[in-house]
């Protein structure tokens, strides 16, 4: 990992390593099970799984940007946004990522990319309209922290296994395995593939949620320390959360699938349990920023 002036976070690093270890283990189990169950097609299974994994890793930034409606902008098109990113990158001593804007009234921001050289930071038009310059810099510093710590790449890879589990289930059903009622072994194979896929999806979902909540607190902490203005980030968090609550539900539902990548979740009460939430609560984030402000001696 290239060194930057963002505060290092050993807790985040250890959690990313553990998440990737368990995700990798699950990945091997799923592919191995599929190879055993589909004996005659093990080469095809390995090739498809490998190709999908490579495609997901190398094209994740483009997929995410396209899915969330982001389009890259030049300094002439968005001088204030580029200026803020320029200042933060100079302060953090890191390469400048591509800068994008998403046409959405939902006030939010996100970062994508497998490394610092292939990264993008995007803000929505709704965010740009609502935040003051210091608040916007706090949000952008939060997103740049994700890039510097490479947790964006880890989240993208970690989320892939859940997608693969769903594809495996559909492939097993569409392949015709078990359609012959006389072949009890084939029918059992379909049930096993489906059950394993469901379990794998559930485990990968929980792993990514646990990592996602911690990485948001880590990015808040790193951004507040880098800018020296935790109060500006706290103000942005409060404003964005309050404004999101006023956005039409239909617009929020379109954004909800990408909650794990956003600065703030599209729905404040997105799940009935904190265990399933992609973000820590607003109170947790503000409490941490308050402690950092006290440590820095800032109001």
């Amino acid at each position: 990992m290239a060194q930057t002036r963002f505060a290092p976070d050993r807790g985040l690093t250890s959690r990313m390593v553990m998440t990737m270890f368990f995700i990798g283990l699950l990945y091997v189990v799923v592919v191995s099970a599929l190879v055993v169950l589909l004996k005659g097609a093990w080469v095809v299974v390995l090739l498809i799984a490998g190709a999908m994994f490579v495609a997901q890793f190398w094209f994740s930034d483009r997929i995410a940007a396209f899915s969330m409606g982001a389009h890259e902008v030049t300094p002439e098109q968005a001088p204030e946004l580029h200026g803020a990113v320029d200042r933060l990158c100079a302060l953090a001593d890191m390469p400048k990522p591509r800068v994008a804007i998403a046409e959405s009234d939902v006030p939010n921001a996100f970062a994508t990319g497998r490394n610092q050289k292939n990264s993008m930071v995007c803000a929505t038009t709704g965010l740009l309209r609502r935040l003051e310059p210091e608040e916007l810099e706090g949000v952008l510093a939060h997103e740049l922290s994700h890039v510097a710590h490479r947790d964006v790449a880890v989240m993208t890879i970690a989320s892939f296994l859940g997608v693969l589990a769903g594809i495996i289930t559909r492939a097993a059903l569409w392949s015709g395995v078990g359609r012959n009622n006389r072949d009890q072994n084939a029918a059992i194979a379909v049930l096993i593939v489906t059950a394993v896929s469901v379990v794998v999806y559930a485990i990968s979902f929980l792993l990514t949620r646990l990592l996602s909540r911690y990485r948001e607190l880590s990015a808040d902490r790193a951004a507040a320390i880098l800018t020296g203005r935790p109060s500006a980030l706290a103000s942005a968090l409060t404003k964005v959360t309050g404004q999101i609550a006023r956005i039409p539900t239909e617009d929020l539902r379109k954004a909800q699938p990408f909650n794990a990548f956003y600065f703030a979740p599209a729905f404040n009460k997105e799940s009935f349990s904190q265990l399933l939430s992609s973000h820590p609560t607003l109170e947790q984030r503000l409490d941490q920023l308050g402690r950092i402000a006290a440590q820095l001696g800032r109001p």
Side-chain angles (χ1 to χ4, degrees), residues 81-264:
L81 180 58
H82 268 274
V85 175
D86 283 333
R87 288 190 295 274
L88 290 168
C89 288
L91 186 61
D93 191 22
M94 65 181 291
K96 181 182 178 181
R98 289 174 292 137
V99 178
I101 292 177
E103 297 290 337
S104 172
D105 192 43
V106 180
N108 233 316
F110 63 90
T112 66
R114 61 185 182 274
N115 54 44
Q116 292 185 29
K117 294 182 179 180
N118 298 277
S119 61
M120 171 187 284
V121 173
C122 179
T124 65
T125 52
L127 184 79
L128 297 175
R129 284 198 305 269
R130 290 174 171 89
L131 297 190
E132 299 297 325
E134 286 191 354
E135 295 171 335
L136 178 61
E137 285 198 5
V139 174
L140 294 174
H142 172 105
E143 297 304 328
L144 288 172
S145 171
H146 286 317
V147 174
H149 291 147
R150 298 191 69 174
D151 52 281
V152 168
V154 173
M155 280 296 295
T156 301
I157 296 172
S159 64
F160 170 74
L161 190 61
V163 176
L164 179 63
I167 293 174
I168 288 174
T169 302
R170 290 193 293 272
L173 295 176
W174 292 344
S175 66
V177 177
R179 286 180 181 175
N180 185 351
N181 293 330
R182 292 174 296 179
D183 191 348
Q184 294 183 352
N185 291 333
I188 293 174
V190 170
L191 293 177
I192 292 175
V193 169
T194 304
V196 169
S197 298
V198 170
V199 172
V200 166
Y201 176 81
I203 294 175
S204 62
F205 179 86
L206 291 176
L207 286 173
T208 53
R209 290 306 198 203
L210 289 171
L211 176 60
S212 179
R213 289 196 298 276
Y214 185 90
R215 82 186 191 107
E216 293 302 328
L217 289 173
S218 176
D220 284 347
R221 182 166 53 251
I225 293 174
L226 179 74
T227 62
R229 293 192 296 266
S231 60
L233 182 55
S235 176
L237 266 170
T238 303
K239 187 178 292 185
V240 167
T241 302
Q243 290 293 320
I244 283 179
R246 301 174 186 175
I247 300 297
T249 302
E250 182 179 353
D251 294 337
L252 294 180
R253 291 196 182 281
K254 293 178 181 178
Q256 190 178 17
F258 309 104
N259 269 348
F261 291 93
Y262 278 133
F263 170 67

